[in-house]
Amino acid sequence: MSAEEVPDYYETIKNPMDLGTVKKKLLGNEYENGEQFLADVRLVFKNALEFNPPESRYYAWATK
């Protein structure tokens, strides 16, 4: 996601994380342990809940 696509995302979310970055870090052996991986995955969903309104499909997906 770029700032052009969702300009206010980076104003709202101070620590962005997405599943593409998680995959890249995983394939690049950048995680030293499972806790680091899990923290990034949890951050993806935390950010989705913080940024998207409760009636959006993204919010619903993040809660599931």
Side-chain angles (χ1 to χ4, degrees), residues 51-63:
F51 181 73
N52 295 290
E55 63 276 3
S56 76
R57 64 181 173 194
Y58 305 109
Y59 189 98
W61 291 340
T63 60

Side-chain angles (χ1 to χ4, degrees), residues 41-61:
V41 171
R42 285 182 174 149
L43 182 57
V44 170
F45 294 100
K46 176 185 170 290
N47 289 346
L49 294 173
E50 183 177 336
F51 181 73
N52 295 290
E55 63 276 3
S56 76
R57 64 181 173 194
Y58 305 109
Y59 189 98
W61 291 340

Side-chain angles (χ1 to χ4, degrees), residues 17-29:
M17 182 54 62
D18 60 85
L19 292 174
T21 300
V22 171
K23 180 180 179 180
K24 180 180 173 187
K25 289 174 73 173
L26 187 60
L27 294 175
N29 294 315

Side-chain angles (χ1 to χ4, degrees), residues 11-12 14-15 19 22 30 32 36 44 51 53 56 61:
E11 294 172 13
T12 304
K14 301 305 179 196
N15 192 7
L19 292 174
V22 171
E30 295 183 42
E32 293 181 20
Q36 290 177 343
V44 170
F51 181 73
S56 76
W61 291 340

